[in-house]
Amino acid sequence: MKTKALLRKLALLALCLLPAGLRAQTVSVPLLCVEKTNGEVVKVQITDSSPNMWYGTYYDEELGRPIPALLIRGNGDDPADLSILLKDIKRVYSRFEEYDAVPYLKADGVGPTADVYNVGGVRVGSVGQLSQLPRGVYLVKKGSRTIKIVNK
């Protein structure tokens, strides 16, 4: 009888702790979005140094003349030079998108030993310990760059 009660309590405790172990860490990434008239959306990540945008012209071989365009230069995986004709642009806006933090941080060159801080500026651990931190907003420091992590 005591064994059944103990097993029931252990099962209940395991069910309570299971969601904490499966919690996903996400990162909010700021993006510049250019929506074209055909419905396609071009997204370029916004960082301290990119994207660089300017109004210019794109020479159309078929028409034999320059056409006004929005020129965008990104960084990393973004296209080096991107030309979007002004007549093809429906709207330009920015937004944040959520990505799974751990693969995002690894792809961004952040190792498991990078420092993690709470919003008060107190160091609470490293990237390798993200799954053990309680829910909340955290900051990951990588050199001079800071990345916001939302632990859900």
Side-chain angles (χ1 to χ4, degrees):
M1 192 72 166
K2 287 184 178 184
T3 306
K4 283 185 179 181
L6 180 62
L7 286 176
R8 191 173 300 144
K9 288 179 183 179
L10 286 175
L12 184 60
L13 178 65
L15 287 175
C16 291
L17 294 176
L18 185 62
L22 296 178
R23 210 170 42 227
Q25 293 80 31
T26 59
V27 60
S28 294
V29 178
L31 300 171
L32 170 73
C33 303
V34 180
E35 184 178 346
K36 295 183 176 182
T37 54
N38 66 2
E40 177 188 357
V41 177
V42 177
K43 298 177 184 177
V44 180
Q45 183 178 346
I46 299 172
T47 66
D48 294 339
S49 60
S50 74
N52 293 325
M53 294 187 332
W54 63 97
Y55 170 78
T57 57
Y58 173 77
Y59 188 79
D60 190 327
E61 298 278 340
E62 194 174 294
L63 295 175
R65 64 181 172 88
I67 297 177
L70 177 66
L71 306 171
I72 302 172
R73 174 164 288 180
N75 69 351
D77 294 336
D78 298 333
D81 285 309
L82 180 63
S83 302
I84 303 173
L85 301 179
L86 290 184
K87 67 177 182 134
D88 294 338
I89 297 175
K90 182 176 180 181
R91 67 184 178 137
V92 178
Y93 58 96
S94 63
R95 67 184 274 178
F96 283 89
E97 288 190 5
E98 299 289 323
Y99 291 95
D100 187 29
V102 176
Y104 176 82
L105 292 172
K106 286 180 184 175
D108 204 26
V110 176
T113 59
D115 292 328
V116 177
Y117 298 87
N118 66 14
V119 291
V122 177
R123 185 182 182 282
V124 293
S126 65
V127 170
Q129 300 168 327
L130 278 175
S131 62
Q132 300 166 357
L133 295 174
R135 293 179 182 182
V137 177
Y138 297 94
L139 305 171
V140 176
K141 188 82 170 151
K142 177 194 172 198
S144 64
R145 189 166 165 214
T146 304
I147 302 169
K148 180 180 83 170
I149 302 290
V150 180
N151 196 2
K152 294 183 178 183

